[in-house]
Amino acid sequence: MPSDTPQWQTLLESFGLLWPAKACSVGVLVGCSGGADSVGLVRLIDHAFRKAEATSPAKRPATAPPLIIAHFNHRLRASESDADERLVRDLADSLNRTCIVGTPPPEGDASCDESSLRNMRRRFFVKTARHQGCRYIATAHTAGDQAETVLHHVLRGTGSQGLTGMQPATPIAEDFVVLRPLLATQREQIGAAMSEIGQTWREDASNQDSRYTRNWLRNDVMPLIRTRLPQVNDSLLRLSANQSMTQDLLAMLADQWLTAFHQDGPRDDTGFTSFFRKPSLVGSAVDRNAVDRNAVGWNTVDWNHDLALAVHPAVITCACQTLFARKSIPRGEMSQTHWIRLANWIRSDSAPTQNRISRGHLPGHIEVFETSHQIELAVPNNSPHS
């Protein structure tokens, strides 16, 4: 590497802010399309691995962790797609790293919409990471991608979680974590650094095709907004950062809420049941009646906040969404109306009764029951959500 490379050194510093050093000790698969951003990410991670490999023998693992460069050739642009693949293979050879290329199966889904293509790549990355013994999957999403993602979510009417945008690290497929160490880095910075060190890349002509929503936002919408609001990228990134802090606080409260007001019920061949104790009735005469409560194993409520927070719909909704994630119940069909309905059932102060009544159903054939002091969710095993 030339000694006079200020752009590269600045890029290394930006990358280092979000790159977990432990990743170099357990193996990384880095997705590379052949564009400037992903080629830059390969060079950065390779640099981090070589730096880790240069540590003293006492700290070096007996078996070097793998660094795998993965490229998925969708074969949508004929010779152009093949040229992208050749560049990625040549890059891997120049760094003496393993390159694995995936392609769509001949009999596979011919869909080429954004969602289908993204899911195809993701499945390939996860499968390859598993076979190669990698714990982390690194992708080259930049600060510009983050701003576009937040705007896209806003236009689609996202909830509060969607305003946080992408996170630097996200669990995927149980055993793996997606890393996005360039989320604080601008695309222009990456291109300048690659030019400075003499690293070539390829421009994907399909990135100019505004039929894809992401390209439309990048090529048409964002430039138009900048004519009136030049700092729109920074504004969207601030929105994401502020919402992430708010969401972190809400997630902490939701976790405490579940500890206090949720209890796992029985699980058998037909499914499982979850019980929500109504926080509005804590300390009431109904709550002191322990007959049904003991039947589902309630412990003493440990809630160190006031009642208004315990019955707040935002806290309860976040708690329910957290529970769905923990129970591996997909939330795709749960609309805002469903979440609000469930939260209102839980926070309601019903008339005292020991009768168990049906409140209705939620998507996925989840049946909801209510007594005077709790809400029950019955999730069948044959549900598409279970």
Side-chain angles (χ1 to χ4, degrees):
M1 189 70 62
S3 58
D4 185 19
T5 53
Q7 300 281 1
W8 170 252
Q9 297 303 322
T10 300
L11 183 59
L12 279 174
E13 292 175 6
S14 178
F15 166 80
L17 294 175
L18 296 179
W19 178 251
K22 63 181 180 180
C24 296
S25 64
V26 294
V28 176
L29 178 145
V30 52
C32 184
S33 66
D37 299 344
S38 60
V39 167
L41 181 61
V42 168
R43 293 298 303 265
L44 290 163
I45 296 178
D46 176 74
H47 181 275
F49 263 73
R50 294 184 190 281
K51 186 175 180 180
E53 291 162 0
T55 58
S56 63
K59 295 181 179 179
R60 191 181 305 155
T63 302
L67 171 55
I68 306 297
I69 300 173
H71 174 78
F72 196 88
N73 185 344
H74 288 285
R75 294 177 171 168
L76 296 176
R77 296 178 294 117
S79 61
E80 290 295 308
S81 294
D82 293 336
D84 293 345
E85 178 183 327
R86 284 195 299 273
L87 181 139
V88 176
R89 288 188 183 275
D90 290 344
L91 173 62
D93 288 342
S94 71
L95 299 174
N96 196 28
R97 300 295 185 184
T98 299
C99 178
I100 298 177
V101 174
T103 56
E107 69 284 358
D109 185 359
S111 300
C112 59
D113 60 277
E114 288 175 287
S115 179
S116 298
L117 297 176
R118 182 172 57 250
N119 291 335
M120 199 180 299
R121 285 194 303 273
R122 176 174 293 188
R123 288 193 298 268
F124 165 67
F125 288 159
V126 170
K127 180 180 178 180
T128 305
R130 180 176 288 113
H131 287 172
Q132 297 297 320
C134 297
R135 171 79 169 114
Y136 294 100
I137 298 171
T139 62
H141 293 102
T142 65
D145 294 315
Q146 179 76 304
E148 292 157 10
T149 296
V150 173
L151 178 60
H152 189 201
H153 288 176
V154 169
L155 296 176
R156 291 171 59 190
T158 186
S160 58
Q161 182 64 51
L163 292 179
T164 65
M166 296 176 285
Q167 300 304 303
T170 306
I172 180 176
E174 298 182 4
D175 299 325
F176 307 98
V177 175
V178 174
L179 299 178
R180 302 180 181 92
L182 298 180
L183 274 185
T185 306
Q186 299 295 338
R187 297 188 188 104
E188 296 78 10
Q189 183 182 353
I190 300 171
M194 292 301 97
S195 296
E196 183 180 66
I197 65 175
Q199 175 63 61
T200 58
W201 69 87
R202 284 182 55 79
E203 297 290 352
D204 186 344
S206 67
N207 287 337
Q208 303 305 314
D209 187 350
S210 292
R211 289 178 300 175
Y212 295 112
T213 302
R214 172 72 69 176
N215 293 345
W216 172 68
L217 289 171
R218 178 179 302 170
N219 302 328
D220 301 334
V221 177
M222 293 294 279
L224 179 61
I225 295 176
R226 288 192 194 97
T227 62
R228 293 291 184 94
L229 302 170
Q231 305 302 318
V232 61
N233 270 43
D234 292 340
S235 299
L236 290 169
L237 293 175
R238 283 198 304 273
L239 172 62
S240 171
N242 291 337
Q243 185 60 37
S244 290
M245 289 190 292
T246 301
Q247 198 65 28
D248 286 345
L249 176 60
L250 190 57
M252 290 174 57
L253 290 171
D255 192 61
Q256 294 175 27
W257 191 97
L258 286 172
T259 298
F261 300 109
H262 171 259
Q263 181 71 43
D264 284 326
R267 177 184 287 271
D268 55 31
D269 292 339
T270 65
F272 64 87
T273 305
S274 282
F275 296 91
F276 296 96
R277 187 179 190 180
K278 291 190 175 183
S280 60
L281 298 176
V282 171
S284 69
V286 172
D287 180 68
R288 289 193 294 271
N289 182 351
V291 177
D292 288 345
R293 185 172 71 247
N294 288 342
V296 296
W298 284 114
N299 298 315
T300 302
V301 169
D302 183 15
W303 179 253
N304 298 320
H305 311 285
D306 61 24
L307 180 61
L309 201 55
V311 298
H312 197 287
V315 175
I316 297 177
T317 298
C318 186
C320 291
Q321 292 172 342
T322 300
L323 180 69
F324 272 49
R326 290 178 182 175
K327 296 289 187 181
S328 299
I329 306 173
R331 296 157 35 182
E333 296 179 24
M334 288 287 290
S335 66
Q336 184 181 29
T337 299
H338 293 122
W339 292 118
I340 292 174
R341 185 183 304 159
L342 178 56
N344 285 338
W345 284 334
I346 294 172
R347 64 196 294 265
S348 67
D349 187 356
S350 304
T353 176
Q354 293 304 313
N355 295 327
R356 181 172 179 266
I357 61 174
S358 175
R359 274 296 188 184
H361 294 81
L362 295 174
H365 308 296
I366 300 172
E367 190 165 4
V368 183
F369 298 95
E370 180 178 12
T371 67
S372 61
H373 67 272
Q374 70 184 24
I375 292 291
E376 304 174 18
L377 297 187
V379 184
N381 280 339
N382 61 357
S383 164
H385 281 183
S386 62

